[in-house]
Amino acid sequence: MIISMKLHSTREEIEQVCERIGDFGYKIHAIEGEERVVIGAVGVGDVAACLDSIEAMPQVEKAVRISAPYKFVSREFRPEKSQIRVDGRDIGGDEFIVMAGPCSVESEKQIMQAAEGVAKAGATLLRGGAFKPRTSPYDFQGLETEGLKLLAKAKRATGLGVITEVMSDRDVDLVAEYADVLQIGARNMQNFALLKALGKCARAVLLKRGMSSTIKELLMSAEYIVAHGNPNVILCERGIRTFETHTRNTCDIVAVPALNELTHLPVILDPSHATGRRSLIPALSRAAVAIGADGLLVEVHPAPEKAISDGAQSLDLHQFRKMMSDLRPYIELWKQARVTETAAAV
Ligand code: PEP
Ligand code: MN
């Protein structure tokens, strides 16, 4: 249930409404806004009676039921798109955001070269895994804290914000010390202990779709983070597992506009894990722009042939520069569409 208070309602009036909601057995989950306060309530009870009673209160403008099982992340809750501020830039706003860098942080030289190269080509954030979820226990698991420190050094050198993966609830505070955005990998999309810990974290979270997860499950996982206190969630389509073997995963391209209908959260696309093949990345990135994604998460390595992980799907710096420049006219059209959409929503 979402209750919008009348403009400039007093603290006392808000408390009265909260009390009435409580009388019906519902729990207040969030109170947002200053001039116009919006109250979110969840729980099980007689929703129709509660809505009638609340709407009859003079200080209440409107009370509506949210039918989606994911409440706070739904478009019903917030019809306009959310913008998430990261290191001085807005994700979900009128800038197409490109997060780029290697799959894993491997060495100081590698991450510095990658960071400088992607910054020059126009990336907004530097990606690089310090904690790596690997299918085999014998594969490189990441440089961990040392990798985080190298990312921080690359940030100081280039001014790029940093996005990196956190795999365990125990590491959230550590990773949040170094990263601007915490990435939750496909394999951890339903790690509920981790999702709850992220709810208590002050950093933005990029939540990747699990490889066998539905759109609804992705939204329910995002709801965990928001319901536990952190509204700054970005969603990422990175391909799902199907019978197709030519590509590493099958990019569910329609998930992007579908998510844009269902949620106000920003949605980005990862063409690297979605394809597993560098030759397909520029075309899929153009598609991401065309369907209204808010940005890209791309793997870029200064020497992909030597990469410890995901070399076959990593662009080199030259290929990344070319892709960024080829994307420019598409991004111009994207910007025009964004302005029209925003104007229509007002
Ligand atoms: C990655 O971004 O390097 C990664 C491990 O991605 P995913 O969780 O989508 O497999
Ligand atoms: Mn990878």
Side-chain angles (χ1 to χ4, degrees), residues 101-104 127 129 132-134 165 183 187 208 238 248 270 272-273 299 309-311 313-314:
C103 178
S104 310
R127 67 148 286 154
K132 293 303 303 175
R134 304 306 302 279
E165 180 159 354
Q183 177 178 324
R187 292 155 189 81
K208 288 188 140 195
R238 47 77 76 204
R248 181 175 178 183
D270 171 350
S272 309
H273 293 85
E299 287 187 338
S309 61
D310 288 349
Q313 66 188 36
S314 299

Side-chain angles (χ1 to χ4, degrees), residues 4-177:
S4 308
M5 301 293 294
K6 286 198 176 139
L7 213 53
H8 307 299
S9 343
T10 64
R11 184 180 284 268
E12 204 184 346
E13 287 170 331
I14 297 164
E15 270 165 22
Q16 282 166 1
V17 172
C18 291
E19 219 167 274
R20 179 80 59 91
I21 294 168
D23 292 344
F24 279 88
Y26 289 90
K27 229 173 89 187
I28 305 299
H29 229 296
I31 301 182
E32 288 192 8
E34 278 168 18
E35 286 192 351
R36 192 183 293 280
V37 168
V38 175
I39 303 169
V42 289
V44 186
D46 187 345
V47 70
C50 181
L51 284 174
D52 281 351
S53 167
I54 300 285
E55 215 156 25
M57 296 176 86
Q59 60 273 44
V60 170
E61 174 87 38
K62 196 169 83 169
V64 288
R65 176 184 194 170
I66 298 201
S67 50
Y70 38 85
K71 309 287 179 197
F72 296 111
V73 306
S74 73
R75 276 275 188 186
E76 288 169 274
F77 178 63
R78 182 174 293 134
E80 71 280 10
K81 251 185 113 68
S82 279
Q83 296 187 13
I84 296 179
R85 193 116 187 116
V86 172
D87 208 35
R89 313 283 279 266
D90 283 329
I91 302 180
D94 52 16
E95 184 188 0
F96 188 80
I97 298 291
V98 179
M99 313 176 184
C103 178
S104 310
V105 180
E106 299 169 2
S107 67
E108 178 163 350
K109 185 170 166 221
Q110 173 245 20
I111 196 66
M112 294 307 269
Q113 278 182 353
E116 275 154 19
V118 300
K120 253 192 223 145
T124 322
L125 288 166
L126 173 66
R127 67 148 286 154
F131 290 89
K132 293 303 303 175
R134 304 306 302 279
T135 301
S136 166
Y138 308 117
D139 285 344
F140 176 60
Q141 306 285 307
L143 296 180
E144 303 189 343
T145 308
E146 176 57 21
L148 295 174
K149 289 186 176 153
L150 293 176
L151 285 167
K153 187 163 186 192
K155 174 176 174 158
R156 284 196 297 276
T158 58
L160 291 175
V162 161
I163 169 167
T164 193
E165 180 159 354
V166 57
M167 286 167 53
S168 157
D169 51 324
R170 291 187 308 271
D171 295 329
V172 168
D173 291 342
L174 170 72
V175 178
E177 255 180 65

Side-chain angles (χ1 to χ4, degrees), residues 126-245:
L126 173 66
R127 67 148 286 154
F131 290 89
K132 293 303 303 175
R134 304 306 302 279
T135 301
S136 166
Y138 308 117
D139 285 344
F140 176 60
Q141 306 285 307
L143 296 180
E144 303 189 343
T145 308
E146 176 57 21
L148 295 174
K149 289 186 176 153
L150 293 176
L151 285 167
K153 187 163 186 192
K155 174 176 174 158
R156 284 196 297 276
T158 58
L160 291 175
V162 161
I163 169 167
T164 193
E165 180 159 354
V166 57
M167 286 167 53
S168 157
D169 51 324
R170 291 187 308 271
D171 295 329
V172 168
D173 291 342
L174 170 72
V175 178
E177 255 180 65
Y178 296 92
D180 299 286
V181 181
L182 305 191
Q183 177 178 324
I184 306 309
R187 292 155 189 81
N188 266 319
M189 189 201 87
Q190 286 188 319
N191 178 341
F192 299 115
L194 177 56
L195 300 178
K196 287 178 191 172
L198 293 163
K200 302 276 169 278
C201 174
R203 298 284 185 204
V205 174
L206 181 124
L207 180 66
K208 288 188 140 195
R209 180 178 181 182
M211 56 186 96
S212 310
S213 300
T214 63
I215 288 172
K216 182 174 163 189
E217 286 163 342
L218 171 61
L219 290 167
M220 293 308 290
S221 289
E223 182 80 6
Y224 259 90
I225 303 170
V226 178
H228 282 84
N230 184 355
N232 300 317
V233 180
I234 303 148
L235 303 174
C236 178
E237 164 62 35
R238 47 77 76 204
I240 50 175
R241 193 163 274 186
T242 68
F243 53 81
E244 182 55 71
T245 54

